[in-house]
Amino acid sequence: ARLSFRTYFECTGELDRDWMIFVHIDAKGGSYRIHGDHFPVDGKYQTTLWKQGDYIADDWSSTVPRDAPAGVYDVWIGFYVGDERLEWSGGNPASHDGQNRVKLGSIVIE
């Protein structure tokens, strides 16, 4: 099966580093994770080019691994360079997990 989604980002200030996007699709109550690290817009629009007020659409897709257990998975997203994550602020506090990532929603893998 194929997973795909589009996320939209609003640039609220200029960035001085090229951040990567991480996608974590985590099994609820388990230790299984599907990863999706990538540069925004397939590397065609690095974050150092973003200007305040820009809206950026980023598409991501992957195949569900055959060994992925069936169940509900939470989809998380964030930005990172090396071991550092970009700090999130604002928005709905219930969508943050304290690890500088934001919950996009949940999916079911059968």
Side-chain angles (χ1 to χ4, degrees), residues 9-52:
F9 302 98
E10 177 185 5
C11 183
T12 59
E14 294 187 19
L15 300 164
D16 62 355
R17 295 164 60 186
D18 287 325
W19 295 87
M20 287 188 76
I21 296 173
F22 67 84
V23 176
H24 292 165
I25 302 174
D26 293 341
K28 280 192 180 260
S31 60
Y32 194 89
R33 172 178 285 168
I34 300 168
H35 291 271
D37 297 1
H38 64 284
F39 282 105
V41 195
D42 292 325
K44 296 175 186 151
Y45 195 35
Q46 297 140 326
T47 58
T48 52
L49 300 174
W50 297 10
K51 303 292 181 212
Q52 186 170 355

